[in-house]
Amino acid sequence: MNQINPKALLHSKWTATSPVKREKHFAVTAVEFDEDKKVTRCVIQAVYSNNEYEINWRDLKQPTLWRQGWC
C-alpha cells in the first residue's frame, strides 16, 4: 500500500499501472479539504494529453492501480 499524506497530495506525481490512451503519467493539480481537514476533491492531470480527471484520492494508495512518481 502506498503511504500518502493528504497534505502532500498537491503537485505529487503518479504512474498508472494500466495506462489507457497513452495516459500513464499524472500529476495532482487540485486538492480541496473540508473544515475537518479531510480531502473532499482530488484532481489529476495527464502529462501527455493534459486531460483532467477527478478521482478518489484513496485509490492512489492501491499499488495495483498507481505507483508513486514517474516510473
Side-chain angles (χ1 to χ4, degrees):
M1 183 167 282
N2 296 323
Q3 295 293 325
I4 303 172
N5 180 349
K7 294 177 186 176
L9 271 176
L10 190 59
H11 304 299
S12 61
K13 296 169 177 68
W14 297 89
T15 301
T17 57
S18 300
V20 177
K21 296 181 188 176
R22 298 176 62 186
E23 294 179 332
K24 181 177 182 177
H25 299 107
F26 295 85
V28 177
T29 57
V31 180
E32 293 179 9
F33 296 91
D34 64 9
E35 306 85 34
D36 299 326
K37 306 284 189 214
K38 293 182 182 178
V39 177
T40 58
R41 184 170 180 254
C42 181
V43 178
I44 59 171
Q45 182 179 38
V47 174
Y48 177 74
S49 64
N50 290 331
N51 291 331
E52 289 189 336
Y53 305 97
E54 189 167 329
I55 65 166
N56 182 340
W57 75 276
R58 288 184 176 92
D59 289 345
L60 296 173
K61 292 183 177 184
Q62 301 301 323
T64 57
L65 301 174
W66 296 97
R67 296 178 67 191
Q68 258 181 320
W70 291 340
C71 306

